[in-house]
């Protein structure tokens, strides 16, 4: 048994996980807890921050108990998290003043439209790499400050702190000693200038966010303070932090310009490393921070889809037509084809490249013999077609992709990955470790504590499990995509 280990916390949209990695990047232990999703109104999505905390802490304690049982020394802790999700808490008590407003939440769509009418959004995009959309944190922070009684006054008096989930966890794990985030999470707020790497005064005033609530922004591999043993069971340094999609790109060793990965969890996020060049998209993709190491920023182009595995989760928990996500593969294989049934899962609007918060989902092509297998197939196919749209947007921004690395819970579904290769007409690689988000921050911890010399040393740890080669004829591919595009047009709000 190894005597030194790295502990990674992966706080995702639907579950919290803690993993223990060996220095060689093998998973030695995993604990996972799902927690409830809260849907108070159409387009609203919230989490109870205490449920985020309790599920994280409980899985972390299990991981710490595992390391103790095996007499392992924890070199450091890494944190990766669902991005943009916004929490505001009281600096004295550490108690959130409102539920976490989740990245999928669209309640600030009208605010975004109003701001778009009075501000040149090109300036916003030039500074932040983002677009004006409820997805990002800024309008969520302002919503909390304006809707919780007395909050704005308390924020201005310095009594409240804002953080994405990483910041909130760092605050709690260090017993309130550290209020910090990393450059990748900061780059998802709409108030962070990705060129100067600082909070932007003009944008703070546009979004009405007081500077007093903001965390310090650190490198992804950095010193984020020590965990409090009384809370976590261990005194260990937090040494690596990154938003989950960027962490996945690190875990997939996408370190050279042109390398690309796609992660299929609740949503789907394609990240293309663009090196030191911050490419501004002509096709409504986001420019974002891939990682910042030793003060040096590497940029990425990102395509974000809001509903991927969430569509399967809806079939399981909402419609209850399946019991487990893993049933989906056999159900799909029971059909000879999609038989004309298509789903556009715009449950919370559509992300890239449409950015339409008012679009809503629909299912097309139902007949009397449509069954649950068709629903499942249409849901899985929709994720593939949306990826195809993102890669199309990347191609129009000049990207020349030769292969794609995939990961995330949904890629356990082999049928889905093969269909992806077919529709994208691109070879796909699946790594040995699909827990790439947790692995990515474990790599960051390893960099910070000197276990890995540099990114090349990390690249050598990446191993391919299997490869998927396209096998669909051009006519069929084109006809499926044409049908899909026709249905997308029907759900767009304008
Ligand atoms: N075999 C499968 N086929 C299709 N979807 C799956 C399968 N296994 C898991 N999923 C979906 O993957 C998602 C979980 O992936 P995960 O990476 O854990 O997500 P997150 O980090 O967003 O919580 C769930 O939405 C689940 O429905
Ligand atoms: O929880 P995931 O893995 O779906 O990731 C959520 C993203 O970070 C949202 O931007």
């Amino acid at each position: 048994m190894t005597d030194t280990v790295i502990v990674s916390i992966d706080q995702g949209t639907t579950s919290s996980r803690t993993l223990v990695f060996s220095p060689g990047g093998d998973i030695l232990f995993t604990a996972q807890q799902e927690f409830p999703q809260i849907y108070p109104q159409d387009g609203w999505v919230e989490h109870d921050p205490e449920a985020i905390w309790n599920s994280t802490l409980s899985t972390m304690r299990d991981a710490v108990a595992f390391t103790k049982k095996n007499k392992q020394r924890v070199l450091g802790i890494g944190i990766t998290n669902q991005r943009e999700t916004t929490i505001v808490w009281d600096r004295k008590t550490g108690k959130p003043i409102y539920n976490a407003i989740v990245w999928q939440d669209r309640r600030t769509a009208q605010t975004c439209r109003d701001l778009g009418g009075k501000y040149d959004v090109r300036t916003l995009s030039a500074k932040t790499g983002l677009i004006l959309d409820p997805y990002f944190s800024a309008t969520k922070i302002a919503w909390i400050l304006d809707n919780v009684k007395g909050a704005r006054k308390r924020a201005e008096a310095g009594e409240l702190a804002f953080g994405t989930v990483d910041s909130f966890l760092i605050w709690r794990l260090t017993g309130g000693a550290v209020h910090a985030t990393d450059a990748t999470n900061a780059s998802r707020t709409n108030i962070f200038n990705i060129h100067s790497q600082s909070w932007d005064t003009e944008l703070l005033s546009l979004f009405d966010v007081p500077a007093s609530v903001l965390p310090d922004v650190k490198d992804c591999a950095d010193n984020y303070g020590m965990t409090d043993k009384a809370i976590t069971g261990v005194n260990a340094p937090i040494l690596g932090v990154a938003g989950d999609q960027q962490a996945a790109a690190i875990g997939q060793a996408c370190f050279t310009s042109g390398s690309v990965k796609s992660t299929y969890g609740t949503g789907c996020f394609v990240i293309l490393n663009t090196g030191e060049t911050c490419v501004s998209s002509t096709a409504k993709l986001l420019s974002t921070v891939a990682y910042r190491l030793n003060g040096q920023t590497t940029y990425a182009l990102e395509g974000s889809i809001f509903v991927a595995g969430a569509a399967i989760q809806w079939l399981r928990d909402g419609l209850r037509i399946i019991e487990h996500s893993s049933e989906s593969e056999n159900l799909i294989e029971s059909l000879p084809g999609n038989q004309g049934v298509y789903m556009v899962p715009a449950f919370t609007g559509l992300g890239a490249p449409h950015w339409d918060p008012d679009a809503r989902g629909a299912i097309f092509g139902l007949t009397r013999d449509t069954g649950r297998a068709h629903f499942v197939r249409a849901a899985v196919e929709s994720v593939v077609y949306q990826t195809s749209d993102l890669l199309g947007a990347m191609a129009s921004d000049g990207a020349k992709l030769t292969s794609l690395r995939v990961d995330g819970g949904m890629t356990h579904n082999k049928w889905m990955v093969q269909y992806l290769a077919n529709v994208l007409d691109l070879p796909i690689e699946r790594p040995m470790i699909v827990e790439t988000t947790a692995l990515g921050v474990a790599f960051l911890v390893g960099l910070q504590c000197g276990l890995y010399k540099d990114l090349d040393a990390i690249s050598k740890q990446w191993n391919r499990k299997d490869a998927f080669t396209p096998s669909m004829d051009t006519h069929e591919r084109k006809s499926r995509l044409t049908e899909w595009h026709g249905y997308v047009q029907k759900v767009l709000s304008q």
Side-chain angles (χ1 to χ4, degrees), residues 151-468:
R152 188 162 282 286
K153 245 183 155 173
R154 291 176 64 206
E156 270 147 19
E159 293 171 22
L160 301 181
F162 147 73
T164 37
V165 172
D166 56 314
S167 279
F168 177 63
L169 294 179
I170 293 165
W171 177 278
R172 288 264 172 119
L173 292 168
T174 59
V178 179
H179 184 207
T181 189
D182 84 295
T184 66
N185 275 294
S187 77
R188 315 296 299 182
T189 55
N190 249 340
I191 44 180
F192 187 71
N193 186 314
I194 57 171
H195 308 285
S196 65
Q197 290 289 306
S198 57
W199 300 113
D200 189 282
T201 316
E202 184 195 15
L203 295 177
L204 288 174
S205 120
L206 174 75
F207 287 106
D208 214 3
V209 173
S212 58
V213 300
L214 300 172
D216 291 338
V217 182
K218 290 173 166 282
D219 284 349
C220 300
D222 211 326
N223 196 346
Y224 285 84
M226 297 291 278
T227 58
D228 183 337
K229 191 171 181 181
I231 300 168
T232 63
V234 67
N235 274 130
I238 303 171
L239 299 177
V241 179
D244 57 8
Q245 301 311 319
Q246 283 88 341
I250 296 166
Q252 289 271 36
C254 291
F255 299 134
T256 51
S257 180
S259 52
V260 61
K261 73 88 206 179
S262 185
T263 300
Y264 297 88
T266 303
C268 159
F269 303 87
V270 181
I271 289 201
L272 170 73
N273 185 319
T274 59
E276 286 171 26
T277 315
C278 183
V279 174
S280 57
S281 174
T282 53
K284 295 195 179 169
L285 297 171
L286 308 173
S287 310
T288 202
V289 174
Y291 42 85
R292 196 179 88 192
L293 298 171
N294 299 319
Q296 175 73 51
T297 307
T298 298
Y299 293 94
L301 265 186
E302 176 177 319
S304 326
I305 298 169
F306 298 146
V307 173
I312 302 300
Q313 208 181 30
W314 172 67
L315 297 178
R316 187 192 69 182
D317 304 341
L319 299 192
R320 294 174 195 271
I321 59 174
I322 53 173
E323 216 175 311
H324 299 289
S325 306
S326 55
E327 280 168 52
S328 56
E329 195 162 348
N330 284 343
L331 278 169
I332 292 173
E333 279 170 348
S334 72
L335 294 175
N338 68 18
Q339 293 169 299
V341 180
Y342 286 80
M343 178 190 294
V344 185
F347 301 149
T348 53
L350 284 172
H354 308 285
W355 296 109
D356 184 349
D358 298 319
R360 285 295 175 269
I363 298 181
F364 299 93
L366 301 183
T367 60
R368 182 60 188 81
D369 62 351
T370 300
R372 64 190 187 116
H374 296 88
F375 274 68
V376 173
R377 181 167 178 140
V380 171
E381 283 193 3
S382 76
V383 176
V384 170
Y385 301 137
Q386 291 183 90
T387 310
S388 164
D389 291 346
L390 292 184
L391 264 52
M394 283 184 175
S396 69
D397 276 334
K400 291 183 180 58
L401 308 183
T402 50
S403 71
L404 174 70
R405 293 182 174 181
V406 298
D407 55 77
M410 221 181 161
T411 60
H412 290 298
N413 187 324
K414 269 184 123 172
W415 185 90
M416 180 258 180
V417 184
Q418 181 58 53
Y419 195 67
L420 191 64
N422 291 353
V423 171
L424 299 182
D425 198 19
L426 198 65
I428 308 267
E429 297 181 298
R430 222 168 38 157
M432 287 299 279
I433 296 185
V434 287
E435 294 287 354
T436 53
T437 51
L439 182 63
V441 281
F443 284 157
L444 291 171
V445 172
L447 263 186
Q448 182 64 11
C449 70
L451 182 66
Y452 308 120
K453 188 165 67 68
D454 52 23
L455 297 181
D456 281 347
I458 294 176
S459 289
K460 292 197 178 99
Q461 308 263 2
W462 188 89
N463 285 308
R464 190 170 84 183
K465 183 177 175 214
D466 39 22
F468 297 79

